[in-house]
Structure formats: structure tokens, C-alpha cells
């Protein structure tokens, strides 16, 4: 059984059909790359999975249980976390507090304990901070050490990307949804984030569904690639086969070929 399964998913906005009879599976431990031209519906797929949009039809199953139509916090509780194409950090909060903030939904303390900052709450909060520091340590010295108490706005763009992923990990997900994790990065930063995604699977054990326009990233880390156009799957398989598919070439360029790594 697949960890995540979408069955005949549809979504429209007014008269615009964004997803049409879309089905896909993500296996446990897999890295699945989702590609397609602008407007193909890629981000809408993540928005529907994560509960930001409610699908018009179809099913979404996480580990065999239906999650379509659940609120985002309920989807997170089922083991799915995501990042966004446009960063959504709390830029005036410290690096460590950005990550800790994602853990409050999992706290055992009740509202009264939180308000009065009881010893039990303070112990749990200290445990969360220690866990957040461990997670940030996974990303190296760029967002640890003296940077822990610095505001998020003081970080470089690439390090903000790392911080957003760290915050997603704080929710203890099984599945990570990454929306263009290499967007806006220079070649060296792109290579680093590519390696990071690989480490998230190999060392962290996360299953990953990601959107990316940089074909070099897609080629390097995807076990499988799925191409969308107009909300439909037009090709699926190994990277080399997908980018050579005439339907994919036409979707991107009309004629010619998709540049390979």
C-alpha cells in the first residue's frame, strides 16, 4: 500500500479546471518529482493534499486513511508537512522560535498549564527547544550556534529555505511536500539543497513529494518523475524517459526538446 494515494482528483476555480481526474501514488521512502510548465496544476496538488484547498472530487489517502477535506492542522497531524514556493517564515521571530512554533500543536500541556506556565509546561517547552536545536543541527552551522537567537530576517535566502524545512520537520512528518525548494538559488546553493533533500530521505527516513523547475535537481534526486499539464498526468517514470516523452516536450516547448542535465 502506498503511503500517499490520490484517486481521480479534481479541482476547479470558477470555470477553470485546474486538476482533472488526477491519480498518483507515493511509496514509502520514495522521492517523487512533480514537473510541468507554469499553470500545470503542480502547486494546486500540494494545496489540496495539505488541506489548503478542498478537492471537488476524488480521494486522498494517507497510509490508507482518507484525508480529503481535512483542515491543514488535521492533515499535519496525519503526518504530512510542507514548505511553500514563497517563504512563509515568522521573520521577526528568532530562528529557534520559528522551529519551536511548529511543535506547539503536539504539546501535551493544556491551556491552563500554558497560560500559567506550570512546571510541567516549562519542562515540555524545554524538551521542544532541545528537539528544535537537534533538527537545526541537521542543516549544519548556517542556522545553528549564535544564529539560533537571531531573527529569521537576518538569514540569507538559502538559509531561510533551510529554516522552513526545519520547521516542517518539527511536526514529525512521514511525508514532506516541498514546493520548489531550489527556487531563487545560485548554482552552489542549488547543489547544496539537492544534497540536503537526498539526506532527508537517506538519514531522516522521510518520504518526499516535491515540485521543481530546475531539471538538474529533478534528475539528481528523483526516484520517479511525474509530469503534469493542464491538471492531468501526461507522463510518468524515470527522469530520462519522462523528459524525452513527446507529450512533455510539447507541453514545455511546443516543439524542440526539454534541456537535460
Amino acid at each position: 500500500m502506498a503511503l500517499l494515494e490520490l484517486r481521480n482528483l479534481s479541482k476547479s476555480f470558477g470555470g477553470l479546471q485546474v486538476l482533472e481526474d488526477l491519480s498518483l501514488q507515493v511509496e514509502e521512502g520514495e522521492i517523487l518529482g512533480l514537473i510541468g510548465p507554469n499553470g500545470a496544476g503542480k502547486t494546486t496538488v500540494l494545496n489540496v493534499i495539505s488541506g489548503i484547498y478542498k478537492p471537488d472530487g476524488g480521494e486522498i489517502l494517507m497510509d490508507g486513511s482518507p484525508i480529503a477535506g481535512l483542515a491543514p492542522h488535521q492533515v499535519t497531524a496525519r503526518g504530512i508537512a510542507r514548505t511553500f514556493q514563497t517563504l512563509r517564515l515568522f521573520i521577526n521571530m528568532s530562528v529557534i522560535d520559528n522551529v519551536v512554533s511548529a511543535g506547539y500543536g503536539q504539546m501535551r500541556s493544556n491551556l491552563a498549564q500554558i497560560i500559567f506556565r506550570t512546571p510541567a509546561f516549562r519542562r515540555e517547552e524545554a524538551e521542544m527547544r532541545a528537539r528544535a536545536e537537534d533538527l537545526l543541527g541537521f542543516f549544519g552551522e548556517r542556522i545553528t550556534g549564535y544564529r539560533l537567537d537571531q531573527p529569521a530576517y537576518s538569514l540569507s535566502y538559502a538559509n531561510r529555505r533551510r529554516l522552513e524545512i526545519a520547521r516542517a520537520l518539527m511536526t514529525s512528518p512521514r511525508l514532506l511536500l516541498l514546493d520548489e525548494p531550489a527556487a531563487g538559488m545560485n548554482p552552489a546553493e542549488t547543489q547544496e539543497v539537492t544534497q540536503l533533500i537526498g539526506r532527508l530521505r537517506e538519514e531522516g527516513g522521510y518520504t518526499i513529494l516535491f515540485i521543481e523547475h530546475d531539471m538538474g535537481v529533478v534528475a539528481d534526486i528523483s526516484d520517479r518523475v511525474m509530469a503534469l499539464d493542464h491538471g492531468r498526468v501526461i507522463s510518468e517514470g524515470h527522469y530520462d524517459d519522462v523528459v524525452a516523452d513527446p507529450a512533455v516536450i510539447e507541453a514545455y516547448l511546443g516543439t524542440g526538446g526539454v534541456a537535460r542535465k
Side-chain angles (χ1 to χ4, degrees), residues 42-43 84-85 161 178-183 210-213:
K42 303 182 297 298
T43 295
F84 293 85
Q85 181 179 355
R161 284 278 181 193
L178 306 179
D179 194 347
E180 296 196 41
F210 77 104
I211 296 169
E212 186 53 63
H213 283 293

Side-chain angles (χ1 to χ4, degrees), residues 78-192:
R78 298 294 184 92
I80 300 175
R82 70 166 297 179
T83 65
F84 293 85
Q85 181 179 355
T86 302
L87 288 168
R88 299 190 181 182
L89 296 172
F90 303 113
I91 61 171
N92 291 312
M93 287 172 55
S94 69
V95 168
I96 187 71
D97 284 342
N98 263 276
V99 179
V100 169
S101 68
Y104 281 106
Q106 301 174 314
M107 291 191 74
R108 301 179 298 276
S109 299
N110 58 39
L111 182 60
Q113 290 173 311
I114 295 171
I115 291 173
F116 293 105
R117 297 191 60 81
T118 64
F121 167 71
R122 291 199 300 271
R123 283 194 299 271
E124 190 171 9
E125 192 174 44
E127 291 169 2
M128 282 205 309
R129 184 180 175 91
R131 181 163 174 264
E133 288 188 25
D134 285 342
L135 286 173
L136 287 164
F138 181 85
F139 296 83
E141 62 185 14
R142 289 186 176 91
I143 50 176
T144 57
Y146 73 92
R147 293 190 182 276
L148 290 176
D149 295 312
Q150 289 189 329
Y153 67 71
S154 68
L155 298 178
S156 68
Y157 178 80
N159 286 335
R160 292 184 192 186
R161 284 278 181 193
R162 293 181 176 92
L163 178 57
E164 189 177 40
I165 296 173
R167 186 177 63 183
L169 299 183
M170 189 68 180
T171 66
S172 303
R174 296 177 62 191
L175 173 66
L176 278 174
L177 309 177
L178 306 179
D179 194 347
E180 296 196 41
M185 294 188 180
N186 62 40
E189 292 168 339
T190 297
Q191 183 61 33
E192 288 177 357

Side-chain angles (χ1 to χ4, degrees), residues 6-257:
L6 276 56
R7 296 177 180 171
N8 308 114
L9 212 61
S10 64
K11 180 64 184 177
S12 62
F13 298 97
L16 178 63
Q17 189 76 35
V18 181
L19 301 179
E20 182 179 354
D21 198 29
L22 177 70
S23 297
L24 67 81
Q25 293 184 343
V26 185
E27 302 296 332
E28 183 95 42
E30 182 180 31
I31 299 179
L32 174 62
L34 200 59
I35 67 171
N38 290 331
K42 303 182 297 298
T43 295
T44 301
V45 172
L46 299 198
N47 286 339
V48 171
I49 295 170
S50 58
I52 294 175
Y53 298 151
K54 183 177 180 178
D56 298 329
E59 296 180 275
I60 305 173
L61 304 176
M62 177 63 179
D63 209 15
S65 298
I67 63 169
L70 294 182
H73 72 277
Q74 295 172 313
V75 173
T76 299
R78 298 294 184 92
I80 300 175
R82 70 166 297 179
T83 65
F84 293 85
Q85 181 179 355
T86 302
L87 288 168
R88 299 190 181 182
L89 296 172
F90 303 113
I91 61 171
N92 291 312
M93 287 172 55
S94 69
V95 168
I96 187 71
D97 284 342
N98 263 276
V99 179
V100 169
S101 68
Y104 281 106
Q106 301 174 314
M107 291 191 74
R108 301 179 298 276
S109 299
N110 58 39
L111 182 60
Q113 290 173 311
I114 295 171
I115 291 173
F116 293 105
R117 297 191 60 81
T118 64
F121 167 71
R122 291 199 300 271
R123 283 194 299 271
E124 190 171 9
E125 192 174 44
E127 291 169 2
M128 282 205 309
R129 184 180 175 91
R131 181 163 174 264
E133 288 188 25
D134 285 342
L135 286 173
L136 287 164
F138 181 85
F139 296 83
E141 62 185 14
R142 289 186 176 91
I143 50 176
T144 57
Y146 73 92
R147 293 190 182 276
L148 290 176
D149 295 312
Q150 289 189 329
Y153 67 71
S154 68
L155 298 178
S156 68
Y157 178 80
N159 286 335
R160 292 184 192 186
R161 284 278 181 193
R162 293 181 176 92
L163 178 57
E164 189 177 40
I165 296 173
R167 186 177 63 183
L169 299 183
M170 189 68 180
T171 66
S172 303
R174 296 177 62 191
L175 173 66
L176 278 174
L177 309 177
L178 306 179
D179 194 347
E180 296 196 41
M185 294 188 180
N186 62 40
E189 292 168 339
T190 297
Q191 183 61 33
E192 288 177 357
V193 80
T194 302
Q195 294 170 352
L196 171 62
I197 294 171
R199 288 181 58 222
L200 286 168
R201 192 262 298 275
E202 300 304 326
E203 300 176 28
Y206 300 101
T207 301
I208 298 169
L209 170 61
F210 77 104
I211 296 169
E212 186 53 63
H213 283 293
D214 188 315
M215 290 298 172
V217 177
V218 177
D220 279 344
I221 59 173
S222 299
D223 298 311
R224 188 163 51 95
V225 176
M226 181 173 288
L228 300 186
D229 190 31
H230 298 296
R232 296 178 293 107
V233 177
I234 57 172
S235 188
E236 177 184 356
H238 187 270
Y239 171 81
D240 288 336
D241 297 327
V242 170
V243 298
D245 190 319
V248 175
I249 294 171
E250 182 177 356
Y252 271 95
L253 301 177
T255 57

